[in-house]
Amino acid sequence: MSTTVVAIDGPAGAGKSSVAKALALKLGFTHVNTGSLYRAVAYALRCAGASLDPVDKAELAKITLEYTDSGLLLNGVDPGEALRSPECASGASCVAKQPIVREFLLEVQRRSALNRWIVMEGRDIGTVIFPDAMVKIFLTASAYERARRRMEQGEIPSGATLEEVQKEIEKRDLQDSTRAVAPLKAAPDAVIVDSSSLSLEETIETIARIVEQKRCTRG
Ligand code: DC
C-alpha cells in the first residue's frame, strides 16, 4: 500500500480542487493537482512551437516537471497563472488523450509522492497512478448541481441556460467515462462521496474523517 497518498478523483465541477487544497492544508500534506501537469505539458509545447496532436516524443523529453513543497516547477520555473488560460485548458484536454503523454506524466506523479504525504487530485489517481493509495475518494455531484455551481461562479458563456450547461456536462461525463485511454471511473475500492447536498466545509470534514479513520486502523 502507498501509505502516503490520498487520491481524489472525479468529474470536472465536483469541487475536487477546492476540497483537495483545503484538505491538504488541514492534514499538513502537500497538495498535487495533476490537471496542472497536463496543462503544463500543453503550455510548454505551445511555447516551443511544437505539435500538440500528435505530441512528439523528443519534444516531450525536453520538458522537466517537478513538484516542490511550494508548488509546480516547469523547466525550473513557477508557471503561475499562465496554466489557467482557456488555451491551456483545451491544450491539456488534447494532450491528455495521448498515451505517450500519460506515460510521461505517470513517472512525474509517482516521483512527486516520494518521501512525503500528499493529497493528489485527478481523474485516474486511484485507478492507474496509485492503485495502492492509502485512501481513495471518488468525489462527485449531480450534473444539475455541477451546472448550478458553474453558473454561480460565472464560468460559462453569457446567455447559456442552466439546462444547456447541465446537458453539456452530461455529454462530457459520457465522453470521459467511455474514452479508450484512461476513462474516468471510480476504483472498485474507492469511497464515493457525493457532494450534491454538502457544503464545501462538510465535504472536507467528511473526507478528513475517512483519512483519519484509515490512519488509525493502520496503527
Ligand atoms: O482538472 P483540469 O481542468 O485542470 O484538467 C485539465 C485536463 O487534463 C482535463 O482535460 C482533464 C485532464 N486530466 C486527465 O486526463 N487526468 C488527470 N489526472 C488530470 C487531468
Side-chain angles (χ1 to χ4, degrees):
M1 184 194 285
S2 180
T3 51
T4 63
V5 177
V6 174
I8 303 187
D9 291 304
K16 283 193 308 290
S17 287
S18 315
V19 169
K21 205 167 170 181
L23 183 72
L25 198 67
K26 187 178 171 79
L27 299 170
F29 291 13
T30 300
H31 170 220
V32 178
N33 175 347
T34 61
S36 298
L37 297 173
Y38 291 88
R39 288 168 183 260
V41 166
Y43 180 67
L45 291 171
R46 273 229 172 90
C47 290
S51 158
L52 265 65
D53 193 8
V55 171
D56 180 68
K57 198 171 182 178
E59 290 294 338
L60 203 53
K62 291 182 195 162
I63 301 172
T64 64
L65 285 162
E66 191 196 350
Y67 252 101
T68 67
D69 284 337
S70 48
L72 176 65
L73 295 183
L74 167 60
N75 296 333
V77 181
D78 176 0
E81 285 303 302
L83 302 187
R84 306 317 310 165
S85 72
E87 292 75 29
C88 271
S90 63
S93 159
C94 172
V95 300
K97 284 186 239 144
Q98 301 174 55
I100 186 180
V101 174
R102 301 203 77 90
E103 261 163 50
F104 172 71
L105 290 181
L106 183 126
E107 283 315 312
V108 175
Q109 290 167 87
R110 290 196 175 152
R111 239 187 359 253
S112 72
L114 289 177
N115 307 320
R116 62 179 153 197
W117 291 87
I118 61 164
V119 175
M120 183 177 272
E121 58 162 300
R123 307 291 194 284
D124 61 346
I125 311 307
T127 49
V128 178
I129 311 299
F130 290 108
D132 55 352
M134 175 181 75
V135 176
K136 296 182 192 178
I137 304 290
F138 192 81
L139 182 62
T140 187
S142 68
Y144 169 81
E145 181 57 22
R146 283 184 282 144
R148 201 194 60 72
R149 289 178 192 168
R150 285 195 67 189
M151 299 223 26
E152 198 176 78
Q153 287 155 9
E155 287 176 10
I156 38 123
S158 59
T161 65
L162 179 65
E163 204 181 12
E164 283 164 352
V165 178
Q166 181 179 338
K167 281 228 165 73
E168 196 51 45
I169 286 177
E170 282 165 350
K171 194 171 129 202
R172 175 132 171 238
D173 283 353
L174 186 68
Q175 271 170 8
D176 288 350
S177 57
T178 54
R179 72 180 176 199
V181 178
L184 173 68
K185 60 171 192 251
D189 51 347
V191 180
I192 314 271
V193 175
D194 186 332
S195 71
S196 303
S197 58
L198 299 179
S199 68
L200 179 61
E201 289 68 30
E202 288 169 332
T203 310
I204 296 161
E205 266 313 308
T206 303
I207 301 177
R209 265 200 305 275
I210 296 169
V211 175
E212 288 309 336
Q213 264 169 15
K214 199 73 176 195
R215 284 172 99 183
C216 288
T217 53
R218 278 174 59 234

